[in-house]
Each structure stands twice: as C-alpha cells, then as structure tokens.
Amino acid sequence: MLEDRATPLSPRQVARQQPLPGAEPVALQPALPLPPPAGPAESADPARTAETGTAGRETDTEADAGQRHGVPPPAAPADGWPADYPGAYAVVDVETTGLRSDDRIVSAAVYRLDAHGAVEDSWYTLVNPQRDPGPVWIHGLTREVLADAPLFPEIAEEFTARLEGRVLVAHNAVFDWMMIAREYARAGLTAPVRRRLCTIALARQLRLPLPNARLASLADHFGVAQRRAHDAEDDARVLAEIFRPSLRQAAEAGARLPLLACQPLTEWAEQAPAGGAGGARSPGGHGAYQWRTWRPNRRLPASPYPNPGRYVRGGRLKQGMRVAFSGDTSVDRSLLEDRAVEAGLHVAGSVSRYTSLLVTNDPGGPTSKVTRAAAHGTPVIDEAAFLHLMRDVEPADALPGGDGGAG
C-alpha cells in the first residue's frame, strides 16, 4: 500500500488523497510493431462527444500525435528504457459542465506517476463551478453536492503541486488540458503544464487492437475494471493502470512518445453571465450562489463580405477572408474568433478549398485541419503572425448594390 506524500488540504476542501487501490499488476501485452507514419484522424475522439451528448468546439484530435515523418525513434540506454522519456507524469481526469470554453470543472483527480509509470499518490476534489452543473446524468454531481465544494482558486495551489514538472496524461488530452488552462486563466494564474500525452494517441501508436477510442475499450484490453465510469477519481485510476503497461510497451518497442507542447493561456475574457447572474458567492451565507445556466453552443456570424481568396504570405489580410484555427492558442480561442469577426473576417470551423488561411502554433501537427490545409494549399501562419496582421486588415471590395466594403 502506497502512502500519500502530499501536504493535506484544509478541512474546507472537499478532497480525498489516497494511493492506488491494491491490485495485482496487469500482465503486459507483447510489444506490437509500430506502424509507419500515418495521417491524422478525420474527426474528434468519439468517446468524449458521446459521453456528453453535446457537440464541442475543439474539433482537432490528438489521436495520431507524435507520428512525424522521418523522425527516428529514441535511442535506448543499457537498461532498455529510452533516455529521453519524461521523468514524471500526472494522470488527470476532469468532469465538467460541458464542452465549451465557458464551461467549468466540477471535479478533478490526479495520479502522480514516476518515470516508469508506478503510482506515487493520488488526489481527488470536487469543484464548485459557480453555475449549473450541466449533464448531471453523466457525472452525477448535482447542485446540492457541489454547493459547499471549494472554488477553483481555492484548490489551485494543490492542483499546481500535483501537476508541476510533470507531463499531463489524459484520455483525449487536449480537452482536459484546455479545461484546466481556462480555469487557471479565470483565476488569474497560468497552468503549470508544458507537455501533454494523449492515451488515445499512444494506443494508436502502439497499434493496440481496439474496437474504438473509448476509455472502456482500453480498460478491457488491459484487464482493468471500471467501477464508476465518468467519475473523475475512478477514470483517473483506470488511466493510471492502463498507462503503466502502455508506457512499458512503448519503451520496449523504442517508440517515441506522442508528446505535445501545451501553449500557455495568457489572455482570457470571461463571457457575460446569462441573465446577469454573476456566479459569485452571494452575501446570503456559505454555499449560497447564483448559478449560471447551461449555455447553448456559440454561433459566430458569417462575414458580410465576399471571400477574396487565399492569403498571400507577406501581404495583408482582407475582409471576407475565411480563417480557421487549430490547436492551442495563448489568447483564448473565443477572443481570437471575436476579433477576427469584428475585423470582417469569416471564422470557419473546418478547412476546405474556400479557406483563405489556417492559424496554428503547430504547423507540423497531425490534426485534420493541418492535413486538409496542406491538401488544399491553404496558407498556414502562427498566432503571433495572425495577431500582427489583424492590426491592418484591408477593406473589402465594394459589395453589389453600391455598398462599400470598408468597416
């Protein structure tokens, strides 16, 4: 039985810290040969969408991350463990009020693992989202259960201690990472995570014979029992147990881990609460809140200007150009989209032959948008270049009927 070596939380914090429940180690599967580099998946992880029943804004997937063309596998040291593998991991699962940028975390769990995937300790906490808890039928956390839970700023210090200096490991990691990054940004802080690893990407890189990308399928493959699906504490436990043999298989095969950089979220603007509800504690006493409602999907207006065609590198953006975004951004995605719309650009959710420009901080990344941009010859620039170009957007040509395109 492992002992928790972390500083205990204050009595106010509804949190539990415990070691991984004792169980016989799962027998390792034989190492599978690595596939040749392949293109990215064409859609987001179906597991997360199916679990929530709601379409999410993040449509890119990390399923094939790390499979770069022409990149040799890492060299293995004398003991057989790749020398450039990370020294520590934080296996994370968060349950949320939904999938959008204004949704909140309602519970979080972290299992700290050493370099070889052995569990050091675990931590779990409820989090008051200061709004409607969203899909209660999925995560089971009602308003009453969350009413006296700590706010995110109250658990941020402990969360930081759990994540700092470690690679964040999660199932569909871009989702968990962005939800965590946004919570830190709301609190005026920066999430202490610089790299992440998606267990979907790792499973595909190892060519595990799975029927789909669901966590349940991975658990079945490694003989790990799921006790409470969609419970952050149990999902993190399952992830920790399946990650250990997955990591060993990767090491035995000399595989390069599908690690991705986490772009720090440096600019954030909270959406105005629906109906004027502030979401903060009211003077009525402990546990009294004005809850925000579960907001519908955010729809951006199309540009009123005709599409003038592709952006030409070295030139100016022009009103009517169709712009798409992919991957992490240091400015919150909703802010970038709003600024683009205000400048007269058309923000597209996908890349097609009509897309004028793709903005991404990882132009070599294995996302569907990057792949489609390459296929269509769509110009690709990074976030900093896009923000610079936004300072001087060229007015559109005159519209039919005599209306000017400036504005």
Side-chain angles (χ1 to χ4, degrees):
M1 185 69 74
L2 296 168
E3 294 182 359
D4 183 11
R5 294 188 280 272
T7 303
L9 300 176
S10 66
R12 276 208 66 256
Q13 296 175 334
V14 184
R16 294 195 295 276
Q17 304 182 73
Q18 61 185 26
L20 187 70
E24 291 298 320
V26 177
L28 297 180
Q29 305 293 325
L32 295 172
L34 291 178
E42 289 300 314
S43 61
D45 168 33
R48 181 68 72 173
T49 302
E51 288 169 5
T52 59
T54 305
R57 288 185 59 233
E58 302 290 348
T59 57
D60 297 330
T61 178
E62 297 185 44
D64 297 291
Q67 296 183 8
R68 304 282 197 251
H69 290 271
V71 179
D79 64 0
W81 197 262
D84 61 351
Y85 273 27
Y89 304 89
V91 175
V92 175
D93 187 76
V94 297
E95 296 300 319
T96 66
T97 62
L99 296 173
R100 301 190 55 77
S101 63
D102 63 327
D103 279 302
R104 306 295 301 272
I105 291 175
V106 295
S107 64
V110 181
Y111 276 73
R112 291 196 288 195
L113 278 56
D114 67 14
H116 290 210
V119 174
E120 297 172 341
D121 57 36
S122 70
W123 172 77
Y124 169 80
T125 185
L126 298 176
V127 183
N128 192 310
Q130 301 176 268
R131 49 155 290 173
D132 187 277
V136 174
W137 59 93
I138 293 176
H139 53 61
L141 301 175
T142 64
R143 294 186 182 189
E144 292 72 24
V145 170
L146 297 171
D148 292 326
L151 307 182
F152 187 85
E154 296 174 317
I155 58 100
E157 182 177 357
E158 179 67 19
F159 209 0
T160 294
R162 299 276 165 175
L163 300 177
E164 202 159 25
R166 296 170 182 266
V167 171
L168 184 148
V169 178
H171 198 68
N172 196 10
V174 66
F175 175 83
D176 295 81
W177 156 244
M178 288 308 300
M179 295 303 297
I180 291 168
R182 288 166 183 152
E183 288 288 5
Y184 272 92
R186 288 185 186 96
L189 304 169
T190 301
V193 177
R194 294 299 171 262
R195 291 188 296 173
R196 66 177 183 265
L197 188 155
C198 181
T199 50
I200 299 174
L202 182 57
R204 290 185 177 172
Q205 186 160 327
L206 295 173
R207 299 183 70 179
L208 301 182
L210 304 175
N212 52 52
R214 294 178 181 274
L215 178 59
S217 297
L218 265 175
D220 286 344
H221 177 77
F222 287 108
V224 178
Q226 271 192 303
R227 298 166 185 160
R228 300 183 307 277
H230 313 303
D231 173 90
E233 186 173 28
D234 194 60
D235 282 353
R237 175 192 62 81
V238 171
L239 274 174
E241 291 195 44
I242 67 175
F243 181 63
R244 182 171 58 251
S246 298
L247 182 63
R248 185 165 294 278
Q249 278 191 237
E252 290 174 351
R256 184 173 295 278
L257 295 179
L259 299 170
L260 289 180
C262 292
Q263 191 75 16
L265 188 57
T266 58
E267 188 174 347
W268 169 265
E270 184 65 271
Q271 299 291 330
R281 274 200 174 93
S282 73
H286 177 66
Y289 295 89
Q290 293 177 304
W291 294 85
R292 290 179 57 182
T293 58
W294 198 4
R295 295 182 59 187
N297 287 344
R298 180 174 183 261
R299 296 186 180 275
L300 294 171
S303 171
Y305 310 109
N307 189 344
R310 303 287 178 81
Y311 166 74
V312 178
R313 194 171 295 277
R316 296 167 63 189
L317 291 176
K318 189 172 185 177
Q319 289 180 325
M321 282 187 173
R322 184 169 293 192
V323 178
F325 298 91
S326 177
D328 298 350
T329 54
S330 59
V331 176
D332 183 66
R333 181 77 68 84
S334 62
L335 290 182
L336 284 178
E337 292 174 342
D338 288 342
R339 291 173 188 176
V341 169
E342 290 168 2
L345 303 176
H346 180 143
V347 175
S350 61
V351 174
S352 70
R353 61 191 179 93
Y354 301 107
T355 306
S356 308
L357 180 70
L358 175 64
V359 179
T360 177
N361 290 317
D362 187 13
T367 68
S368 58
K369 291 180 183 176
V370 170
T371 300
R372 288 173 185 147
H376 294 301
T378 302
V380 179
I381 64 173
D382 64 19
E383 179 185 3
F386 177 72
L387 290 174
H388 180 76
L389 290 171
M390 287 282 288
R391 299 175 183 175
D392 185 25
V393 177
E394 183 179 352
D397 298 329
L399 295 172
D403 293 335

